[in-house]
Amino acid sequence: EIVLTQSPGTLSLSPGERATLSCRASQSDRSSYLAWYQQKPGQAPRLLVYGASSRATGIPDRFSGSGSGTDFTLTISRLEPEDFAVYYCQQYGSSRMFGQGTKVEVK
Amino acid sequence: EVQLSESGGGLVQPGGSLRLSCAASGFIFSSYAMGWVRQAPGKGLEWVSAITGGGGDTYHADSVKGRLIISRDNSKNRLYLDMSSLRAEDTAVYYCVKGSDTSRPYYFDFWGQGALVTVSS
């Protein structure tokens, strides 16, 4: 079973700053079947990125995904107030596992 | 507009049973895989179960195998999760999720608002 490790656990940033979130897989399934989800308190998660780098419908272009193999990154170019949330990655190729999440909080 | 609405959550004693239901609308239900993802209080997301669009193939996490069973009724646009031999560690919000395709690989492109299941005496 592929294990996803997200880092850092918590990211403390100010609005307008750039956020870089990492998701590392324990092994490669030689695909880019990696998704990112955002979850705000009291809400269901929502899809941000799929296929490692494709933005879901309606997602602002300040969100971008990259990576392949075992190392993936979600970048938020300039944090807006509504972007402070928890972010999860998920490998959906050979497994369906989620990472443990990265919380982006206001510094 | 895609809508997923869970029902059937509640308080159940350890060892008890419960059935979650998810009513789906806004898309051709039988054309997409569906699943359940849960989140224990204050914890992260855990994939639980998935089922192909036609319902012929089901998948369950090792932690729930034999106790939680996913099924679907494409004539009613409904997804189900039959839960038995429930344990305290099954306490969580259970999200109904829509897959992006009828079979693997698929990501979860729409999520319901969740149903809380509490296992406690």
Side-chain angles (χ1 to χ4, degrees), chain A residues 86-97:
Chain A
V86 180
Y87 294 83
Y88 296 93
C89 60
Q90 183 205 19
Q91 202 279 341
Y92 60 92
S94 56
S95 80
R96 299 176 185 83
M97 299 297 290

Side-chain angles (χ1 to χ4, degrees), chain A residues 55-68:
Chain A
R55 270 189 303 277
T57 302
I59 301 304
D61 60 7
R62 63 180 181 272
F63 291 92
S64 63
S66 62
S68 63

Side-chain angles (χ1 to χ4, degrees), chain A residues 29-41:
Chain A
D29 70 350
R30 292 170 294 180
S31 76
S32 294
Y33 296 140
L34 195 286
W36 289 92
Y37 303 87
Q38 176 195 64
Q39 186 178 33
K40 298 179 183 179

Side-chain angles (χ1 to χ4, degrees), chain B residues 73-94:
Chain B
D73 186 336
N74 286 346
S75 68
K76 295 182 179 177
N77 286 3
R78 281 193 174 262
L79 178 73
Y80 303 101
L81 186 66
D82 287 295
M83 312 170 74
S84 61
S85 302
L86 284 165
R87 308 165 180 167
E89 54 264 37
D90 295 316
T91 294
V93 173
Y94 285 74

